[in-house]
Amino acid sequence: MTAARTVFIAGAGIAGLTAALALAAKGFRVIIAEKAERLEEAGAGLQLSPNASRILIDLGLRARLEPHAIAPDAVSLMSVRHGGEISRLPFHQTIDTPYWVLHRADLQAALTSAVDDNPAIELRLGTSFEQADAAADGVVIHQRSGASRREDRASALIGADGVWSAVRRRLNPDARPKFSGLIAWRGTADASSLPRELAPPRVQVWMGPETHLVVYPIAGGRQVNMVAVASGTWNEPGWSVPADAAEIANRFAAARWPAPAQAMIGAVETWRKWALFAMPDMARWNEGAIALIGDAAHAMLPFAAQGAGMAIEDAAVLAACLGNSVEDAAAALARYGDLRRARVARVRRLAQRNGQIYHLRGAAALARDLAIAAMGPARLMARQNWIYGWRP
């Protein structure tokens, strides 16, 4: 297939794999280069709201995902000050737009399996993006695999290589992720090790003074995923650094946190941590035949549960733009950026604001709890419609 119908993707995470499937569905040949020798789970639980799940379903992934996903009935908003639930966001699950929670590894495995089964997609593991040069028919991409080098011609290069993106450095060397001052710890516990009342059937968001905890079932309900967030100065890059359980226990001391939350935290045997970095707003995500998607373009704080969702949306919009303008990839990628920036910026602001609200203390926390309770479940859910109701 000619370069005009070939798209090169750097990075085989959620953004890159979804983009490959969406582009292949538009008739493109796709090459994915991933520097890792094998694809491994990074992170634990993942929330896929309807704006993301409907895209994956449209790509034919329902049968691969549904056996591993759980469709919770609500997100419970829990207050440490109050000692329990103050309100909830009720989900009206439908067959075409489920709200799913699942293990990140299960999503990655489903995407990888679909990519492997698609003859239009070539996945190259152990292959690093090095450089891209403009060409008359698109772009020439230079790669390294071990001691050998190779190059490919493509109509477009898509940087889906995460928050520390090498493609972004080529596009905008001055755009760098910034440490948020927050650290997240993650761990899982066997649901059978918890009393039944502590193995939640839904997502729980516990809001505490300068800390919060997110809890939900994964792996078909056999495990409970927990993510604890607090401020700190440790800021080494990476997604899976071993963490000391005593550090978590000290941050979420019994005097401040209710017994149910303490029990869930105590049930985790192995914790891992990562420093939360976010990208500042960039004026553009594209230059000529090169564009960024997912965390490479807009890594954000995870407090709207939309990091994966925005990457999946990016993939769908990108494929639609390229599919509608095969002969002018640069114009298609500019159109993609124009369509995505405002929505992603709004979600980014929501995530940052949520983090501030979660961590209130004292009188401000009391006012928060009273306001959330007064708003009620229906109004709380209606405030999410602009996210969940989006369609490409």
Side-chain angles (χ1 to χ4, degrees):
M1 191 174 285
T2 65
R5 298 297 300 183
T6 300
V7 177
F8 192 100
I9 299 174
I14 292 171
L17 294 172
T18 306
L21 293 169
L23 287 162
K26 297 291 185 181
F28 288 93
R29 171 179 176 251
V30 184
I31 301 169
I32 312 173
E34 168 55 51
K35 66 181 180 180
E37 295 288 342
R38 59 180 182 175
L39 297 181
E40 296 180 312
E41 174 263 327
L46 189 71
Q47 299 182 54
L48 292 176
S49 51
N51 51 303
S53 65
R54 67 168 55 97
I55 293 171
L56 299 176
I57 289 170
D58 288 345
L59 289 173
L61 290 164
R62 178 189 287 277
R64 300 178 196 258
L65 288 171
E66 209 161 39
H68 307 286
I70 294 174
D73 62 358
V75 171
S76 291
L77 298 175
M78 318 288 288
S79 168
V80 168
R81 187 205 60 81
H82 178 271
E85 183 181 271
I86 53 175
S87 192
R88 65 178 58 178
L89 280 71
F91 297 136
H92 304 292
Q93 299 282 10
T94 62
I95 192 168
D96 63 323
T97 57
Y99 191 112
W100 279 335
V101 293
L102 72 165
H103 201 291
R104 184 180 290 266
D106 290 330
L107 174 58
Q108 182 166 286
L111 291 168
T112 304
S113 175
V115 162
D116 289 342
D117 288 346
N118 194 314
I121 304 173
E122 178 186 355
L123 174 59
R124 300 174 183 169
L125 298 177
T127 301
S128 299
F129 164 82
E130 287 199 327
Q131 179 59 34
D133 299 321
D137 55 352
V139 62
V140 179
I141 302 101
H142 304 270
Q143 312 130 66
R144 176 191 286 272
S145 179
S148 63
R149 286 187 170 89
R150 68 182 298 173
E151 62 182 49
D152 288 274
R153 287 181 174 267
S155 62
L157 164 64
I158 309 304
D161 48 346
V163 65
W164 306 105
S165 170
V167 178
R168 188 184 61 238
R169 289 197 297 272
R170 158 68 171 78
L171 206 64
N172 188 346
D174 296 327
R176 299 176 183 176
K178 295 184 178 180
F179 177 53
S180 65
L182 297 168
I183 303 168
W185 292 264
R186 62 175 172 84
T188 58
D190 289 337
S192 60
S193 69
L194 290 168
R196 187 171 182 177
E197 65 273 16
L198 296 184
R202 61 182 61 95
V203 180
Q204 290 185 355
V205 179
W206 284 86
M207 302 176 289
E210 298 180 2
T211 51
H212 77 274
L213 175 70
V214 181
V215 183
Y216 52 86
I218 57 172
R222 297 182 301 276
Q223 293 181 311
V224 177
N225 180 73
M226 301 182 210
V227 179
V229 178
S231 59
T233 58
W234 177 84
N235 62 356
E236 295 178 15
W239 292 97
S240 193
V241 177
D244 185 355
E247 184 179 12
I248 309 297
N250 290 337
R251 293 295 187 110
F252 295 81
R256 295 165 59 185
W257 279 72
Q262 286 289 324
M264 288 188 289
I265 291 171
V268 177
E269 294 184 359
T270 303
W271 290 92
R272 308 190 78 82
K273 65 180 178 180
W274 77 98
L276 296 180
F277 284 83
M279 283 298 300
D281 287 330
M282 293 193 299
R284 59 179 180 168
W285 303 349
N286 63 284
E287 180 180 278
I290 303 174
L292 305 172
I293 66 173
D295 282 352
H298 51 68
M300 63 182 68
L301 296 175
F303 309 143
Q306 286 298 317
M310 291 301 103
I312 291 167
E313 287 186 13
D314 286 350
V317 174
L318 176 85
C321 289
L322 282 171
N324 290 334
S325 185
V326 175
E327 302 304 321
D328 192 346
L333 296 180
R335 174 66 174 159
Y336 149 76
D338 290 342
L339 289 172
R340 293 299 296 156
R341 275 193 298 272
R343 175 169 169 81
V344 170
R346 187 179 177 189
V347 173
R348 182 206 304 273
R349 291 192 297 271
L350 174 66
Q352 186 171 8
R353 185 167 65 250
N354 282 351
Q356 295 167 346
I357 292 170
Y358 294 166
H359 289 193
L360 293 174
R361 60 188 308 154
L366 172 59
R368 173 201 64 203
D369 293 355
L370 293 173
I372 289 173
M375 197 174 300
R379 287 178 60 195
L380 284 171
M381 192 63 198
R383 290 163 66 95
Q384 299 296 111
N385 286 343
W386 69 273
I387 297 181
Y388 299 164
W390 181 91
R391 292 177 181 271

